[in-house]
Amino acid sequence: MLALIRPDSWFFPLFLHIAGAMVLVGALTLASISLIAAWRSNSPALIRLAYMSLFYGALPGYIVFRIGAAWIADKEHLTDSNLSWIGIGYGVSDFGALLLTISLVAGGVSLRQMNRGRQPSRIPARIVTGLVSLVLVAYLVAVWAMTTKPT
């Protein structure tokens, strides 16, 4: 019912928030699937695809999603509220930013080794696989919280 009475000025910030979140989750899904597939083959192409999707998809998606979240929360005057779904969203978002940053650093080190002609190490790829999969599950929980809005 709330969506029916939402002012028109809220549509663009909400669109930015949702579009950024969709790009973020899509890039994390691509990275996770690519890294899981690279476990067996140890394919540098799959590892490179995963790290590039994190850098060119997940990072910009995260930035747009957080800007949209802050903007729509300000427009709806929810910045000082104690709603559980907002707490879940901000908590998962902050935790996800930390794990995404760690994944990007580990991926950058691994990509640098691959660009120098070395065989990619399996250890950073497996660490990033676990981190990205954990972040993906956490964001899916946040999507659930945003859509069902538990009190």
Side-chain angles (χ1 to χ4, degrees):
M1 189 64 158
L2 180 63
L4 296 175
I5 57 172
R6 185 172 285 145
D8 288 340
S9 65
W10 293 3
F11 288 148
F12 186 67
L14 185 60
F15 172 76
L16 276 181
H17 175 61
I18 293 171
M22 289 175 64
V23 168
L24 174 63
V25 169
L28 288 172
T29 303
L30 175 62
S32 180
I33 290 171
S34 298
L35 287 168
I36 290 170
W39 274 38
R40 290 189 179 179
S41 65
N42 201 27
S43 167
L46 286 174
I47 294 172
R48 188 179 310 274
L49 172 66
Y51 292 151
M52 289 293 122
S53 70
L54 287 176
F55 186 72
Y56 290 114
L59 183 61
Y62 178 82
I63 292 168
V64 169
F65 137 78
R66 276 305 290 242
I67 289 170
W71 193 4
I72 194 66
D74 184 56
K75 285 244 185 226
E76 292 186 23
H77 306 290
L78 296 173
T79 53
D80 296 329
S81 66
N82 290 330
L83 298 171
S84 64
W85 57 274
I86 291 180
I88 291 170
Y90 279 123
V92 168
S93 175
D94 294 342
F95 178 68
L98 175 67
L99 295 183
L100 181 62
T101 303
I102 293 169
S103 299
L104 285 169
V105 169
V109 169
S110 189
L111 276 178
R112 188 171 179 171
Q113 288 177 349
M114 284 191 287
N115 288 339
R116 290 184 176 172
R118 298 184 195 147
Q119 183 68 15
S121 174
R122 290 182 179 202
I123 295 170
R126 291 188 181 202
I127 291 171
V128 172
T129 303
L131 293 176
V132 167
S133 299
L134 179 65
V135 169
L136 185 59
V137 169
Y139 281 137
L140 291 176
V141 169
V143 167
W144 169 82
M146 294 292 131
T147 55
T148 61
K149 299 200 183 339
T151 54

